[in-house]
Amino acid sequence: MPARHGAPMPPRTPAGSIRDLHRTMALADDARIAEIVTLVDSLPERGAADALLVPLRGRLLQIRPTRRTSFTRLLFTPANAVVVAAAQWRRTGVTLPRTGLCCLVKQVRAQLGPVAAEFDARLADATTEDRVIILREGQLLWCLAADVLRSAGMPDDWVRETGLAAADYTSVARGLAALLHVASRIEAFADRVGAGCGVPRAQIQACLAEAVAWSSDAPGGRGIKDAPGGTGIKDAPGGAAAIGMLVGVLLARLPRPEDILIAADDVGHAAGDPSVRQACDLAIDGVLAGGLAHAQDNDIGAATRELAHLAGLLDALEKPGPACRPARKSAVMALRRETDAACRQRFETDMAHCIAAALDLFDGGTPGGEAMLLEATMRDLRKFEAVARRFGGGPGYDRGLSDAATALARPFLSAAAPSGAIACNVARSIEILAGPEAGLAFLTSQPGL
Amino acid sequence: MLQGGRLRRIPPAARLGRLQDSPLEAIVPNPSGGRGVYVLPWTDIGALCRPTMHDTMLVRRLSTPIEGIERDLTPGRVRDAARAIALQGLAGQQAASAAEASIKRRDEGLLATRFTLLMVVTEQMEARRLMEPARLEQEPLEIEQRGGLVLVRLARELGQPPQRMSGLLDQLALQFLDVGCGLGMANASLPSLVSNLGVLRNELSVWAQSEQASGTDDNDPVVRAASRTAVAVAGAAEITAQMARVALDAARARLGDMPGLLRAILADTSEIARCCDQASWLLDGWEQIWLTWHASPGALSHHDAVRAIGRQIPALPDEAEGWLGLPAGTAEQLFRRPPPERAAFRDTGSHFETIARNEHFRALAD
């Protein structure tokens, strides 16, 4: 298209082409998506190419391809759990709008000067799998970035680049700064959880107390004003208000929400600062707002993990304790009900598919390796169901499992006896669904076994 | 699902006047970590755990008399039964394929062990007659021929038909298959497991030390409990390995006089079996522990592995003290289990993960 004033315009991609591209990418297999991600990650200036990944974010969370660890990715690693799309972002001080990341990283890079380039050089060959490098470099970068963001003023292009209000900068930057200041501890906590250990409440409390104290010392750390029309903490002391994002990350990454809530309450008491509790409440509300989506996660393993996490939080919120609020009770109950309904629906759908696949498989003769996949799917469904029961619907799940086992056994009870191998496979499937007694009853009903 | 437990046949005297569905009983270490063991009939096992379909079928098979005779359960017999059940597919596809491969491997091992024993007996008999001893590098056919002659001579000495000597050698090969003998001794299943226990001991000790050193809080109860468990398992592994080495050496020492050994077998066929079984009894349950640790970090984290194996330390058989000349009560002192740790926070259907993992280990086990 010719420019209106004679200067050539950069070529623009027609909206239709972008849509076609998104559609093609939505149909791409995991390997192809990993290739596209590697290509985009390797671009020196991602710019518009980054938009290619927007519709893939859900898939990326599922397939988790190995990616290059860039300066930007390293900087936001501790905050990943609270990064949300601009449309989902609320002025609660708990989440980080994705549209703000670019501006924030530019600001940190500018302030660090040649040090940023040194990070680039050291990260040149690192990937998201290189945990040792991430922790080593992160330890350095997160502290430097926290200091920058704690005292920096709003970049000139903030409003233009991010689409956010000028007043949002302070809460976003200070919240991220507080989080980054204790990021090394959070990553160590996450590693402990990954290693099968819990995190002692005393350590969580020390982490929160450190973040509050550090944020309170910041220039202008007290008296952060909430954005006009916002729903966050108004006129709250900066130190406490800034820990909302940190609490959100802790709630998302650590397994015992009650420990985090009690620790935060104790820190608030110790600091004589009621806004710690307010920040905590906002973080909880943020987690609750995204709770229902977990039941619909395509990856049933991820859905089970997230639902277990959510169930733990709901249990903690219903128990008498620092986070138990009469005002929240109805919201918690509603979320429990909605999650229960979503879980039951998913369970019924997935189980129906699973049984249909099983009957096809057993009908076709010796199932071989496919039987292992089928059993793995059934076990995943049982794990999902075990967690889903925490939201309610116990008798419904019992009935569903019993019906599924009956449906699986029926063709083999009425027709000619299956071969020994098939009978064992069917019995094992029934055992997974309805318990060893049901499996044994089927097995012993088969002649010759 | 019986962690660290054993099965044994209920003595006939104890069965009198009691209606038993199964002639087996389970011996389970005190789950609280305290002294002593629980002994309960298999029919009451539901009080401790919920056996899987595979477990029930295994127990049914073990309960069935062999050729009309109720034989004592030995670790070897339990392993044979487990292989047969796995072969049916009751422990999953992977375990079925592994059982098939294991049976083939054992058949080949049996041939090799028999050949080694034939060489040993030939060497000893020829040395006794001041002839040139057979050497390993000699052609197998030649040794087979000379061995055949030696067996005929030995049969004449013992007043037995030659076929009987061949049968005795087969029987002996079965006993020494897992104990190992000759050049391939270290590759037999029991010496391999002893060697793995050495690795387990070292790795657990190093891990416990590194955990204590890297703990961000000295009073962290999780780190302290895990380290304590790792040290306890490492200690038990070391003692078990030492005891098993003594038992294996004692069994192999019997091969020093093969003519005498064959004569002894003629008098009492079960004596050498009992001798060879001692190492099996001592090591019973440790393969699962080794596999659990070896699977971490991967299938499970080091912490989860330590938590699991802490519950699996098997009770040492009472007879072990007699075999090794230890004072009464030593086993209980040495094999005190660490107290159970606080329940794991993961509650996402861990029962299914445990079964899947056990079946995977079943596939890896010999």
Side-chain angles (χ1 to χ4, degrees), chain A residues 192-198 200 203 255 304 308 368 372 379 382-383 387 390 424-425 427-428 431-432 435-437 439-440 443-444 449, chain B residues 50-53 56-57 60 88-94 216-217 220 222-223 301 303-304 307 345-349 352-353 355-356 359:
Chain A
R192 280 180 62 99
V193 171
C197 297
Q203 291 187 17
T304 306
M372 287 168 66
R379 283 183 173 137
R382 287 300 314 264
K383 287 184 217 166
V387 172
R390 295 176 63 180
C424 279
N425 277 310
R428 280 174 59 81
E431 179 184 29
I432 294 170
E437 299 79 13
L440 201 60
L443 194 69
T444 49
L449 286 170
Chain B
R50 190 182 185 195
T52 63
M53 184 173 69
T56 306
M57 294 301 282
R60 283 187 189 182
Q88 286 183 301
L90 287 170
Q93 203 72 40
Q94 195 192 5
T216 46
D217 179 355
D220 186 340
V222 178
V223 170
S301 70
H303 271 273
D304 285 341
R307 218 173 269 136
F345 55 81
R346 290 178 181 173
D347 53 357
T348 53
F352 297 102
E353 280 169 18
I355 292 176
E359 289 183 349

Side-chain angles (χ1 to χ4, degrees), chain A residues 350-371:
Chain A
D350 285 12
M351 184 57 85
H353 286 146
C354 185
I355 295 300
L359 289 172
D360 270 358
L361 190 64
F362 296 142
D363 193 37
T366 311
E370 286 171 327

Side-chain angles (χ1 to χ4, degrees), chain A residues 216-269:
Chain A
S216 301
D217 286 345
R222 294 197 163 264
I224 294 172
K225 304 278 185 188
D226 189 24
T231 54
I233 306 164
K234 295 179 192 300
D235 300 324
I243 67 159
M245 207 176 280
L246 169 58
V247 173
V249 166
L250 291 174
L251 284 172
R253 297 185 73 179
L254 303 189
R256 294 173 58 85
E258 62 270 32
D259 282 351
I260 299 160
L261 302 179
I262 294 170
D265 200 53
D266 288 349
V267 169
H269 275 302

Side-chain angles (χ1 to χ4, degrees), chain A residues 2 54 113 133 158 197 221 254 300 333 342 394 415 445:
Chain A
V54 171
I133 297 177
W158 171 260
C197 297
L254 303 189
I300 194 161
M333 282 173 65
S445 73

Side-chain angles (χ1 to χ4, degrees), chain A residues 84-102:
Chain A
V84 295
Q88 287 154 10
W89 184 74
R90 300 287 178 272
R91 291 188 175 92
T92 56
V94 176
T95 49
L96 193 54
R98 190 175 294 283
T99 50
L101 304 188
C102 197

Side-chain angles (χ1 to χ4, degrees), chain B residues 224-235:
Chain B
R224 269 190 290 127
S227 301
R228 211 168 38 233
T229 303
V231 169
V233 179

Side-chain angles (χ1 to χ4, degrees), chain A residues 106-183:
Chain A
K106 267 198 290 187
Q107 186 173 32
V108 171
R109 286 194 73 100
Q111 291 289 319
L112 294 185
V115 174
E118 288 170 19
F119 276 106
D120 289 337
R122 289 198 297 271
L123 294 171
D125 299 321
T127 72
T128 45
E129 299 290 304
D130 297 322
R131 189 73 182 148
V132 173
I133 297 177
I134 289 173
L135 292 182
R136 187 191 66 210
E137 297 300 321
Q139 217 162 15
L140 300 171
L141 175 59
W142 297 326
C143 285
L144 292 172
D147 287 339
V148 168
L149 293 170
R150 179 168 73 157
S151 50
M154 187 185 76
D156 294 339
D157 57 355
W158 171 260
V159 175
R160 191 179 65 248
E161 287 283 320
T162 65
L164 302 170
D168 294 332
Y169 172 78
T170 311
S171 74
V172 168
R174 302 296 187 268
L176 180 61
L179 171 61
L180 292 178
H181 179 67
V182 290

